């Protein structure tokens, strides 16, 4: 099979991201989280199937985050 589906959550609201992450883990996803551009760029493996991105990441823009994700995962489905 194609293994677990992977999901990346990029959101600076930790409580929201944590709740969302556990919801998707319950559905069988492998979930990783990033709170900002720095933590996103420090993630070694950005090859994901899905990404949920908050467009307002403190001082950063979610649009920049989406570009990074799609560079690593051209087939990723991104939800904002």
């Amino acid at each position: 099979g194609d293994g677990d589906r992977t999901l990346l959550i990029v959101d600076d609201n930790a409580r929201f991201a944590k709740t969302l992450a556990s919801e998707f883990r319950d559905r069988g996803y492998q979930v990783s989280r990033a709170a900002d551009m720095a933590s996103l760029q420090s993630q070694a493996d950005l090859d994901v199937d899905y990404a949920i991105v908050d467009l307002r990441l403190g001082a950063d823009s979610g649009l920049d985050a989406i570009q990074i994700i799609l560079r690593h995962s051209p087939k990723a489905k991104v939800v904002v």
Side-chain angles (χ1 to χ4, degrees), residues 3-80:
D4 287 343
R5 290 167 298 181
T6 51
L7 169 70
L8 172 65
I9 299 171
V10 185
D11 199 309
D12 58 352
N13 180 333
R15 181 176 294 171
F16 171 76
K18 198 172 181 180
T19 304
L20 202 58
S22 55
E23 289 279 327
F24 277 93
R25 283 197 186 100
D26 289 347
R27 292 180 171 85
Y29 285 79
Q30 282 190 314
V31 184
S32 51
R33 292 179 7 216
D36 51 34
M37 292 294 290
S39 59
L40 179 66
Q41 287 167 314
S42 71
Q43 299 210 16
D45 182 18
L46 276 174
D47 184 11
V48 296
D49 299 317
Y50 301 94
I52 298 174
V53 180
D54 182 7
L55 289 181
R56 289 183 302 280
L57 294 171
D60 300 320
S61 164
L63 294 174
D64 296 330
I66 292 169
Q67 287 184 336
I68 292 175
I69 293 163
L70 290 178
R71 193 178 308 147
H72 291 272
S73 308
K75 295 196 285 270
K77 295 179 179 59
V78 178
V79 180
V80 293

